[in-house]
Amino acid sequence: MSSAGSPNVLGKLSYVLASRQREKVLAAVVPRPQTPGQIAKQTGLHLSHVSRTLGELSRTDLITCLSGERRGKLYAASNLGHAVFAELADSRGDRLISPMARGSHFHNYHHWIAVHHGKAAADEVLIEIGLDPAHLDAEEWYPLRAALDVLDQIEARFGDGTYDTIRRMAREEVGNFPSVRRLVHRGLPFPIFLELSPNAYAREYNHGRLEVDVQERRAVMRNYDWMSSPARCAARLGGYEGTLTLLAMNGTVTKVACMLRGAPYCGYRIDW
């Protein structure tokens, strides 16, 4: 496994992305060593904020303090800091923000694999894509790319290429998402439940948007501006099917549009 894909790198990436100031300060010292004053000027942050952030990044081994100069100490990105910044750039691409998903996704994937294939297999899948199962935080943000990699790993190891395994996993695990449980426990009429589902989506992802069109006993769920993949589409189908089961409703879920086939969104129709 490369250093960029190590559990330590992804864990530190989550730490950096939790604070815009950490990201700015780390980015400032990646090209070359700088003093706190130079960092403050480049980033537009107050010097006191720069000093505090330098302390945070130093304590987490992302930067190192070089020999002091008359006008202040020099700070540089460590090898780990360079690896984390490279992972950040790779995750973000040309987007203004890196597509991220809550750790609850990885937690549920791990739970499902452990139930059906054993904890060792579940640990191995997460470690393979660079996450440490022992330090996984369901409330933290992690790169979406890592979530897509996990889905592909699960299909490759336990599926048959049809993505039915991914669909089944999502169907069985959807009730373990706190955002879904909150809506279920409110006992809302199903149309209102669906209308409020974009709130749950925003709780789980920091990118894209979910639009809902409810008519009579049918609803179309449209995902815009998100990163699609065959595994993710299967997971979405299974998630909606699992929601129907949670609410003890009879219904069907059908994929009606796909970004991978040129549509402007991925669409799922729910009939009940």
Side-chain angles (χ1 to χ4, degrees):
M1 183 187 306
S2 67
S3 62
S6 72
N8 199 29
V9 169
L10 287 183
K12 298 298 185 185
L13 174 60
S14 178
Y15 176 75
V16 170
L17 287 171
S19 165
R20 183 62 174 162
Q21 291 183 4
R22 292 177 197 148
E23 185 179 339
K24 285 184 175 182
V25 171
L26 179 61
V29 298
V30 164
R32 62 188 180 281
Q34 298 210 60
T35 66
Q38 290 172 327
I39 296 170
K41 183 177 181 180
Q42 178 177 329
T43 61
L45 298 172
H46 289 293
L47 185 58
S48 61
H49 294 165
V50 169
S51 297
R52 183 181 68 243
T53 305
L54 286 170
E56 294 172 349
L57 296 176
S58 295
R59 288 190 292 273
T60 50
D61 299 322
L62 292 167
I63 65 172
T64 57
C65 179
L66 306 179
S67 57
E69 293 187 343
R70 186 165 59 90
R71 294 186 178 181
K73 294 180 178 179
L74 280 172
Y75 290 86
S78 64
N79 289 337
L80 177 59
H82 278 285
V84 167
F85 189 78
E87 186 72 15
L88 170 62
D90 184 56
S91 297
R92 175 164 292 167
D94 60 357
R95 297 175 178 85
L96 293 177
I97 60 171
S98 297
M100 308 287 279
R102 289 282 186 189
S104 52
H105 294 265
F106 301 94
H107 184 272
N108 290 341
Y109 301 156
H110 184 274
H111 174 261
W112 187 87
I113 299 171
V115 168
H116 294 281
H117 302 282
K119 184 178 181 300
D123 288 349
E124 186 177 341
V125 167
L126 293 190
I127 292 171
E128 179 66 25
I129 60 95
L131 286 176
D132 183 352
H135 296 95
L136 186 64
D137 188 337
E139 290 298 314
E140 285 289 347
W141 292 104
Y142 294 87
L144 177 67
R145 182 177 57 79
L148 300 184
D149 287 346
V150 171
L151 292 177
D152 287 339
Q153 282 280 337
I154 293 171
E155 181 62 25
R157 289 169 180 253
F158 312 116
D160 59 5
T162 65
Y163 296 99
D164 283 345
T165 296
I166 299 297
R167 189 168 178 172
R168 174 192 169 197
M169 176 181 70
R171 186 165 55 241
E172 295 176 358
E173 289 293 323
V174 67
N176 290 327
F177 285 99
S179 57
V180 174
R181 288 201 303 268
R182 290 190 189 98
L183 284 179
V184 171
H185 290 163
R186 293 175 67 178
L188 300 168
F190 191 50
I192 297 178
F193 178 99
L194 293 175
E195 293 282 5
L196 293 177
S197 58
N199 295 335
Y201 178 92
R203 181 76 178 82
E204 299 296 335
Y205 302 103
N206 76 333
H207 65 284
R209 72 183 190 277
L210 173 63
E211 295 186 1
V212 180
D213 180 16
V214 180
Q215 297 178 355
E216 297 292 333
R217 300 183 65 82
R218 170 176 293 179
V220 177
M221 321 293 282
R222 298 183 177 92
N223 287 102
Y224 289 89
D225 303 325
W226 79 335
M227 295 171 62
S228 187
S229 76
R232 197 179 191 192
C233 290
R236 207 69 184 162
L237 280 167
Y240 288 131
E241 291 169 341
T243 300
L244 288 170
T245 301
L246 282 174
L247 298 173
M249 296 188 62
N250 293 320
T252 60
V253 183
T254 307
K255 183 73 178 287
V256 295
C258 186
M259 294 176 65
L260 297 177
R261 297 180 179 177
Y265 59 86
C266 284
Y268 306 85
R269 190 184 70 229
I270 304 175
D271 295 278
W272 68 94

